[in-house]
Amino acid sequence: MAKQTPLHATHVAAGARMVDFAGWDMPVNYGSQIEEHHVVRRDAGMFDVSHMLALDLEGADATKWLRGLLANDVSKLRTPGKALYSCMLNPAGGVIDDLIVYYFSDDNYRIVVNAGTADKDLSWMRRNIADTGANVTLESRRDLAMIAVQGPNARAKTWQALPGSESVAGELKPFQAAWFDEILIARTGYTGEDGYELTVPADRAVAIWDALAAAGVAPCGLGARDTLRLEAGMNLYGQDMDDTVSPLDAGLAWTVDFKDETRDFVGREALLAKPQANEMIGLILDDKGVLRAHMKVFTAHGEGETTSGTFSPTLEKSIAFARLPLGVVAGAPVEVEIRGKRAAAHLVKLPFVRNGKALTG
């Protein structure tokens, strides 16, 4: 039986179409996925992301342990509430998961991992703690719920729904978080729009969801979340990278920090031994059709494939991420194999859309 978030009954009562996602019964839409997409680009929408897992890390070795576990370097985090995006790699340099780390102090962090990899991640981390003998504790926080509020009006409507929160969250910069009334308010997201991700006690999730709805924030499902993140050039674990793919080949080289040559993180040697071999780039279809994952792409530099694809409601065109041989450049014409036939397309820099504006076409 699929797992349920604390907001499950609220989604069902609202008439959401529920689907299995990573073992969770989640809303894919509440009616029109296209309208949900547009409301996030133009106003404010909210997503139940409680299927993701928060982990609390504490202990004298917390910073040291994370510096050895993650490809990005948490020692950059010096301001309480500052967040860092990173990949967690295996020894071969493949991506076990991509995650966000929040710094509170040198011995206190929160880590948020993906739903589909949560059990694998937790097992890997605990095994690594045992192997390294790190003086840390790692606590799974399934007593929490998470709500993402996204869009140009998301912050103002969150302040309306949570009176007093503006005094704490109003000055937050992107990738910063602060506590308000037992709620962690983080200026992060997965849509390419401004807004917050709220981590709240599970028993308060329904009341906060209802308050946001009363403030004019529209409930949105995972369908719109996927089209929004793709337009925003944001990877999805299991499609755009996995434990067989290097972050260098997944367009995530910017998350790998080699600066400190004495920092020996898991996967470092493999990445240095096998440099980047592919380019992750955007693709727009010029002919008719819809781009999906795992379609062959033919370029002047050789073949590659799409990793994620969809119809873009903002651009009103079919778009995709493509993993292609090094040497390809934005603007170059390519062909994509769709149902056995080649269709014309062209390459573009990612992202396609940011802050409601199309950056390419």
Side-chain angles (χ1 to χ4, degrees), residues 7 46-47 49 145-149 196-198 200 205 208-209 212:
L7 290 161
M46 59 182 170
F47 304 84
V49 291
M146 296 183 222
I147 301 169
V149 191
Y196 296 127
E197 291 180 309
L198 312 175
V200 309
I208 291 171
W209 183 272
L212 289 164

Side-chain angles (χ1 to χ4, degrees), residues 111-136:
I111 307 167
V112 179
V113 302
N114 286 306
T117 58
D119 291 342
K120 176 182 73 170
D121 292 354
L122 191 54
S123 176
W124 175 264
M125 290 177 181
R126 286 178 170 161
R127 188 163 62 250
N128 186 273
I129 290 170
D131 290 345
T132 59
N135 180 14
V136 295

Side-chain angles (χ1 to χ4, degrees), residues 48-125:
D48 178 9
V49 291
S50 305
H51 56 319
M52 300 179 72
L53 178 62
L55 302 167
D56 283 347
L57 176 71
E58 295 184 354
D61 291 339
T63 298
K64 178 182 178 182
W65 179 70
L66 282 173
R67 294 192 77 211
L69 181 78
L70 303 179
N72 214 337
D73 190 352
V74 299
S75 68
K76 303 173 190 175
L77 305 177
R78 305 314 308 158
T79 304
K82 185 65 177 172
L84 181 76
Y85 175 74
S86 181
C87 290
M88 180 168 64
L89 308 180
N90 57 32
V95 181
I96 295 173
D97 197 11
D98 64 325
L99 49 80
I100 291 182
V101 179
Y102 295 93
Y103 168 86
F104 302 118
S105 69
D106 288 343
D107 58 2
N108 185 4
Y109 293 82
R110 173 163 289 171
I111 307 167
V112 179
V113 302
N114 286 306
T117 58
D119 291 342
K120 176 182 73 170
D121 292 354
L122 191 54
S123 176
W124 175 264
M125 290 177 181

Side-chain angles (χ1 to χ4, degrees), residues 174-229:
F175 264 68
Q176 284 189 338
W179 291 98
F180 172 77
D181 189 24
E182 296 186 311
I183 301 168
L184 184 65
I185 303 178
R187 197 171 173 189
T188 52
Y190 192 52
T191 63
E193 298 297 326
D194 202 356
Y196 296 127
E197 291 180 309
L198 312 175
T199 304
V200 309
D203 59 4
R204 294 177 59 191
V206 172
I208 291 171
W209 183 272
D210 289 345
L212 289 164
V217 183
C220 301
L222 295 181
R225 192 165 182 256
D226 190 53
T227 54
L228 289 160
R229 70 92 191 169

